[in-house]
Amino acid sequence: MNLNKAHFLLFYLTMTAAIASGLAIFSSASNITILLQDAASGLFVPLLLALVTSFLLDPIVSSLEKRRIPRSRAILTVFFCVTALFFASASWFIPYVQHMWGSLSSDFPRYTEQFVNYVREAQSSWQARLPFLKNYDLSASTQSSVKQILSYVLVQTPKSAFKLGSLLVLVPIFSFFFLRDGNNFMRGLVALAPNRYFEMAHDLSFLISRQMATFVRGRIIEAVIVGAVITVGLHFTDIRYAPLLGLFAGITNLIPYVGPIIGMLPGIIIAAVDLGIGGQFWWIVILYILIAQVFLDNFILIPVLISRVADLHPLFVILAIVMGGKIYGVLGMIIGVPIASAVKIALIEIRHYRRAFSLPETGTDRHA
Amino acid sequence: MDLMWSNIFRLKSDEESLTGFLERIAVFNELEKRDFKYLENMVHTRTYHANETIFEKGDPGSGMYIIRSGKVLIFNRDIHDQEQEMALLSSGDLFGETTLASPAPRTFSARTTEATELIGLFRSDMLTTTSKHPAIACRILLGLTKFISEQAQRATIEVSALQQRLLEMEHNPQPTTGG
């Protein structure tokens, strides 16, 4: 083989062209995915909320449908009732929230300062006992992180109020269509399965969506009840912001293991700062831990509402929280665990199905 | 000219529309006229090639099939894996109805012999219907019960006849009937 310069040049040119075109294709492809990501970025939250809303409203709509009301009309009726309820409560709710927000933005720095003081006291007592910790300044790092959280909350809350406006438009529209056409979407999707697997796909989609609806519904109802009980319990004391603390505890209750602890922190801090450590403080601690968590949640709500099937190993819970937080921030932390549970439910249903029938191989490779 | 226009404006005849077809199926006799509109959205229409497996014995069964067009071979395999034909079904026939109410593995295999259109009615849709439209579900299940009990009755008569023959053969064992 005689390779001259022309061959090398040709080889070089071809390689360059190949690499260049490869890069061009890659970059345009990634541009397209970025474009798609951009287009879909704001839609994740409204879609998820709409899905949850439709899971929650579906039993009501179905019970109306049972009375021979057409589905679309039933959905609109339910939406009308919910909207009316919203407006009725808003006239009472909005001034209350405004007042609370005003006093909270002045109170919040006070609470955090007190919290940092506690940390500092604790630190000095540790350092007296454990001298090797002297170089580690916990109170300073706490102070800086608390300041960060503070500014984040103060800036982000009014911002997210604007987001809430767009959610109020998008979520009802999405959930209307989920409620009306959700079954048809699923049918269309399942119909794509090849004939041989159609029956199985159809059955599984039914079983999984039924389990999922029960799970989501149970979780939401559980959070609402826990939040309500904490709100009512806090009203017996002189603590301020009881509804807000109840709301926070309810939302964080969606996260197993870690959520309740995070949910009780602000309440206990506020109680310690405002009320001092006394009878009311201990009542609040008992309310959070014993009444809401141990008694209500563990003994009553979880056994009644949620099957233990969807329980995740604590390791997976932590992984789900961290990964969710990486992708979607605070919201990701809240929804990470339910999504992981949903995946687990799907897997369990599939395994159940396989065990019940010990799936055979396809017909073509059966004959002798 | 006439031909062209008649093609465009021709309404679908009862024979062609899915509702018209379903109305002729014995299982749906109990249904009222307006229920068929719901039933039409409840069933799944699937098209099969010739010689395509619909299900094999032992598959998880989750509902019944009605043959709209084409032919379906119902068979079992003997110990040598040879196909033993049990029936050749055609348009309007249905099979697999016993798994509609309770989950069970299929007790026979089914395969198309020509291009076939099947209408599937499955348990999960039935369950959804029982909670949303109990009246419709009730009528379907009533029709199905009639159908299945007729089958059971026929089977009982056949079994007792066979028992009778067996008894006779035991009492006077003559090799008359190829035994």
Tab-separated table of all heavy atoms in Angstrom, chain A residues 195-213:
chain	number	residue	atom	x	y	z
A	195	ASN	N	-50.880	-6.758	20.414
A	195	ASN	CA	-52.012	-7.609	20.789
A	195	ASN	C	-51.685	-8.577	21.907
A	195	ASN	O	-52.462	-8.767	22.832
A	195	ASN	CB	-52.458	-8.423	19.574
A	195	ASN	CG	-53.300	-7.587	18.655
A	195	ASN	OD1	-53.940	-6.655	19.102
A	195	ASN	ND2	-53.281	-7.893	17.380
A	196	ARG	N	-50.495	-9.193	21.804
A	196	ARG	CA	-50.142	-10.262	22.730
A	196	ARG	C	-50.032	-9.733	24.168
A	196	ARG	O	-50.259	-10.454	25.120
A	196	ARG	CB	-48.813	-10.872	22.284
A	196	ARG	CG	-48.450	-12.143	22.973
A	196	ARG	CD	-49.275	-13.300	22.434
A	196	ARG	NE	-48.895	-14.539	23.124
A	196	ARG	CZ	-49.348	-14.881	24.305
A	196	ARG	NH1	-50.201	-14.097	24.930
A	196	ARG	NH2	-48.960	-16.003	24.871
A	197	TYR	N	-49.652	-8.459	24.321
A	197	TYR	CA	-49.440	-7.904	25.660
A	197	TYR	C	-50.528	-6.919	26.065
A	197	TYR	O	-50.455	-6.314	27.117
A	197	TYR	CB	-48.073	-7.223	25.739
A	197	TYR	CG	-46.953	-8.176	25.451
A	197	TYR	CD1	-46.322	-8.186	24.219
A	197	TYR	CD2	-46.567	-9.104	26.406
A	197	TYR	CE1	-45.322	-9.098	23.936
A	197	TYR	CE2	-45.577	-10.013	26.131
A	197	TYR	CZ	-44.962	-10.010	24.898
A	197	TYR	OH	-43.995	-10.919	24.638
A	198	PHE	N	-51.514	-6.773	25.169
A	198	PHE	CA	-52.522	-5.744	25.423
A	198	PHE	C	-53.288	-5.990	26.717
A	198	PHE	O	-53.431	-5.092	27.546
A	198	PHE	CB	-53.495	-5.676	24.250
A	198	PHE	CG	-54.666	-4.787	24.514
A	198	PHE	CD1	-54.507	-3.420	24.522
A	198	PHE	CD2	-55.915	-5.315	24.811
A	198	PHE	CE1	-55.571	-2.591	24.799
A	198	PHE	CE2	-56.973	-4.496	25.087
A	198	PHE	CZ	-56.803	-3.134	25.071
A	199	GLU	N	-53.739	-7.243	26.882
A	199	GLU	CA	-54.544	-7.559	28.067
A	199	GLU	C	-53.789	-7.233	29.347
A	199	GLU	O	-54.326	-6.644	30.277
A	199	GLU	CB	-54.876	-9.046	28.061
A	199	GLU	CG	-56.326	-9.327	27.793
A	199	GLU	CD	-56.613	-10.800	27.892
A	199	GLU	OE1	-56.831	-11.263	29.008
A	199	GLU	OE2	-56.590	-11.483	26.851
A	200	MET	N	-52.504	-7.639	29.365
A	200	MET	CA	-51.682	-7.427	30.552
A	200	MET	C	-51.489	-5.925	30.805
A	200	MET	O	-51.646	-5.453	31.933
A	200	MET	CB	-50.331	-8.099	30.354
A	200	MET	CG	-49.517	-8.177	31.590
A	200	MET	SD	-48.039	-9.145	31.321
A	200	MET	CE	-47.142	-8.115	30.203
A	201	ALA	N	-51.178	-5.194	29.731
A	201	ALA	CA	-50.958	-3.757	29.879
A	201	ALA	C	-52.221	-3.078	30.400
A	201	ALA	O	-52.169	-2.221	31.289
A	201	ALA	CB	-50.549	-3.152	28.538
A	202	HIS	N	-53.347	-3.497	29.859
A	202	HIS	CA	-54.628	-2.910	30.247
A	202	HIS	C	-54.914	-3.166	31.729
A	202	HIS	O	-55.250	-2.256	32.477
A	202	HIS	CB	-55.717	-3.512	29.375
A	202	HIS	CG	-57.069	-2.941	29.616
A	202	HIS	ND1	-57.322	-1.597	29.503
A	202	HIS	CD2	-58.233	-3.504	29.979
A	202	HIS	CE1	-58.588	-1.374	29.782
A	202	HIS	NE2	-59.165	-2.514	30.079
A	203	ASP	N	-54.722	-4.424	32.129
A	203	ASP	CA	-54.962	-4.800	33.514
A	203	ASP	C	-54.037	-4.050	34.467
A	203	ASP	O	-54.478	-3.514	35.479
A	203	ASP	CB	-54.721	-6.303	33.665
A	203	ASP	CG	-55.937	-6.997	34.235
A	203	ASP	OD1	-57.029	-6.438	34.092
A	203	ASP	OD2	-55.776	-8.082	34.814
A	204	LEU	N	-52.749	-4.022	34.110
A	204	LEU	CA	-51.774	-3.377	34.985
A	204	LEU	C	-52.036	-1.895	35.111
A	204	LEU	O	-51.944	-1.326	36.203
A	204	LEU	CB	-50.356	-3.606	34.448
A	204	LEU	CG	-49.720	-4.922	34.847
A	204	LEU	CD1	-48.350	-5.044	34.226
A	204	LEU	CD2	-49.603	-5.019	36.362
A	205	SER	N	-52.368	-1.245	33.998
A	205	SER	CA	-52.602	0.204	34.059
A	205	SER	C	-53.770	0.489	34.988
A	205	SER	O	-53.736	1.450	35.766
A	205	SER	CB	-52.875	0.762	32.665
A	205	SER	OG	-54.213	0.566	32.312
A	206	PHE	N	-54.777	-0.381	34.946
A	206	PHE	CA	-55.922	-0.198	35.837
A	206	PHE	C	-55.511	-0.359	37.298
A	206	PHE	O	-55.803	0.496	38.143
A	206	PHE	CB	-57.013	-1.202	35.472
A	206	PHE	CG	-58.128	-1.271	36.475
A	206	PHE	CD1	-59.068	-0.263	36.548
A	206	PHE	CD2	-58.233	-2.341	37.348
A	206	PHE	CE1	-60.086	-0.316	37.468
A	206	PHE	CE2	-59.245	-2.399	38.267
A	206	PHE	CZ	-60.183	-1.387	38.329
A	207	LEU	N	-54.780	-1.457	37.582
A	207	LEU	CA	-54.403	-1.735	38.970
A	207	LEU	C	-53.513	-0.636	39.517
A	207	LEU	O	-53.700	-0.145	40.637
A	207	LEU	CB	-53.680	-3.082	39.051
A	207	LEU	CG	-54.542	-4.311	38.794
A	207	LEU	CD1	-53.682	-5.548	38.682
A	207	LEU	CD2	-55.546	-4.471	39.915
A	208	ILE	N	-52.525	-0.221	38.701
A	208	ILE	CA	-51.564	0.776	39.175
A	208	ILE	C	-52.257	2.110	39.403
A	208	ILE	O	-52.055	2.757	40.428
A	208	ILE	CB	-50.398	0.918	38.186
A	208	ILE	CG1	-49.558	-0.352	38.202
A	208	ILE	CG2	-49.529	2.110	38.530
A	208	ILE	CD1	-48.510	-0.400	37.134
A	209	SER	N	-53.109	2.514	38.466
A	209	SER	CA	-53.727	3.834	38.645
A	209	SER	C	-54.680	3.813	39.833
A	209	SER	O	-54.809	4.819	40.534
A	209	SER	CB	-54.435	4.291	37.374
A	209	SER	OG	-55.451	3.407	37.044
A	210	ARG	N	-55.295	2.645	40.092
A	210	ARG	CA	-56.188	2.587	41.243
A	210	ARG	C	-55.391	2.730	42.547
A	210	ARG	O	-55.754	3.505	43.431
A	210	ARG	CB	-56.960	1.268	41.232
A	210	ARG	CG	-58.090	1.245	42.239
A	210	ARG	CD	-58.890	-0.008	42.156
A	210	ARG	NE	-58.078	-1.190	42.394
A	210	ARG	CZ	-58.572	-2.426	42.472
A	210	ARG	NH1	-59.854	-2.615	42.319
A	210	ARG	NH2	-57.785	-3.449	42.683
A	211	GLN	N	-54.275	1.990	42.628
A	211	GLN	CA	-53.429	2.078	43.821
A	211	GLN	C	-52.903	3.495	44.013
A	211	GLN	O	-52.867	4.024	45.117
A	211	GLN	CB	-52.231	1.135	43.689
A	211	GLN	CG	-52.520	-0.300	44.051
A	211	GLN	CD	-52.733	-0.488	45.521
A	211	GLN	OE1	-52.451	0.404	46.307
A	211	GLN	NE2	-53.264	-1.629	45.903
A	212	MET	N	-52.500	4.088	42.873
A	212	MET	CA	-51.900	5.420	42.928
A	212	MET	C	-52.913	6.430	43.445
A	212	MET	O	-52.580	7.272	44.287
A	212	MET	CB	-51.462	5.808	41.513
A	212	MET	CG	-50.259	6.662	41.468
A	212	MET	SD	-48.827	5.659	41.770
A	212	MET	CE	-48.408	5.210	40.119
A	213	ALA	N	-54.153	6.334	42.959
A	213	ALA	CA	-55.179	7.281	43.392
A	213	ALA	C	-55.425	7.148	44.880
A	213	ALA	O	-55.502	8.155	45.598
A	213	ALA	CB	-56.472	7.028	42.617
